Amino acid sequence: AQSVTQLGSHVSVSEGALVLLRCNYSSSVPPYLFWYVQYPNQGLQLLLKYTTGATLVKGINGFEAEFKKSETSFHLTKPSAHMSDAAEYFCAVFMLDDKIIFGKGTRLHILP
Amino acid sequence: KAGVTQTPRYLIKTRGQQVTLSCSPISGHRSVSWYQQTPGQGLQFLFEYFSETQRNKGNFPGRFSGRQFSNSRSEMNVSTLELGDSALYLCASSLRDTSYNEQFFGPGTRLTVL
């Protein structure tokens, strides 16, 4: 079965430090990949997506992710964390059966 | 353009009751998908409607049903509520004009079953 694995249900980083949220997928073909962010009491907002072409994808709020086929990974990074980045982040894969599979989510905590 | 709206935002029901949730997609979007979000299971796909027809469905019991109207608004119904149905129910709309179905989410309806 296709799946998405996010390593770490909680990640804490200091304000100004590098943010790295990990996502690995299992797929026999290159999928379409997404990162979403969810703030408290809100729905999901698309941060960025990989569909085709350049493997380094830039998104909103200074986030970017790199698609690495050999590692089946799509990790999310941001050079310098801001207090407003505290939220839950979801990696998702759009599969050939026409469904989107979400990872369990990683809650990002920003330490002052 | 207005975003995806969901009503009501919060709902409290008791076991055995039924509930109907509503979702209005972004104007022009013909696809509406529903998801259940719980702390234990995360986000799980319920079903997708496109042009009033169910296009896809997840692995949920028949107590969960939905429909879509000609104006693309969608409703989701859960009958004979169980405690485990307590969750945040998210609706997402899409143009369905690309091969990867980019979805835009509403704020969700928080359902509590007592």
Side-chain angles (χ1 to χ4, degrees):
Chain A
Q2 314 293 358
S3 70
V4 180
T5 303
Q6 292 185 238
L7 190 62
S9 57
H10 291 264
V11 169
S12 296
V13 301
S14 297
E15 192 174 17
L18 171 72
V19 175
L20 171 60
L21 304 183
R22 300 177 187 273
C23 173
N24 288 88
Y25 65 92
S26 67
S27 174
S28 58
V29 297
Y32 299 115
L33 297 157
F34 307 86
W35 274 100
Y36 285 89
V37 61
Q38 185 177 34
Y39 297 101
N41 298 316
Q42 294 187 28
L44 276 66
Q45 180 183 7
L46 182 66
L47 272 177
L48 49 80
K49 62 180 182 281
Y50 170 79
T51 56
T52 186
T55 57
L56 181 62
V57 180
K58 294 187 185 299
I60 62 172
N61 301 338
F63 284 93
E64 60 182 38
E66 186 171 10
F67 169 60
K68 292 187 176 181
K69 182 180 176 182
S70 61
E71 299 177 8
T72 60
S73 70
F74 191 56
H75 301 332
L76 181 71
T77 59
K78 181 174 180 177
S80 178
H82 191 273
M83 295 300 290
S84 61
D85 295 327
E88 189 156 21
Y89 292 80
F90 293 90
C91 180
V93 178
F94 182 71
M95 307 307 298
L96 293 179
D97 64 355
D98 216 29
K99 293 177 184 175
I100 295 181
I101 306 297
F102 287 86
K104 294 288 190 184
T106 296
R107 187 166 297 277
L108 177 64
H109 304 271
I110 309 297
L111 307 173
Chain B
K1 227 181 223 186
V4 178
T5 58
Q6 292 187 246
T7 56
R9 289 293 311 276
Y10 301 91
L11 207 49
I12 299 175
K13 293 286 188 179
T14 56
R15 278 181 300 172
Q17 288 187 308
Q18 76 163 14
V19 68
T20 299
L21 312 182
S22 181
C23 172
S24 293
I26 292 171
S27 177
H29 287 195
R30 295 165 62 191
S31 166
V32 173
S33 297
W34 288 89
Y35 294 86
Q36 182 194 66
Q37 185 179 18
T38 60
Q41 298 298 319
L43 274 151
Q44 294 186 285
F45 172 72
L46 281 154
F47 30 67
E48 178 188 5
Y49 285 85
F50 181 81
S51 293
E52 301 179 65
T53 301
Q54 188 178 85
R55 182 188 175 114
N56 216 337
K57 71 188 298 289
N59 298 320
F60 278 80
R63 300 186 297 107
F64 292 82
S65 63
R67 59 177 176 168
Q68 186 179 35
F69 302 94
S70 58
N71 62 358
S72 295
R73 189 178 70 86
S74 177
E75 287 182 346
M76 190 192 90
N77 185 76
V78 187
S79 62
T80 320
L81 283 166
E82 301 176 0
L83 294 179
D85 296 333
S86 294
L88 180 67
Y89 290 88
L90 292 165
C91 160
S93 76
S94 167
L95 275 170
R96 267 292 186 177
D97 61 343
T98 61
S99 53
Y100 51 83
N101 192 21
E102 182 172 343
Q103 298 186 333
F104 298 82
F105 284 80
T109 293
R110 171 79 59 188
L111 172 64
T112 302
V113 181
L114 303 176

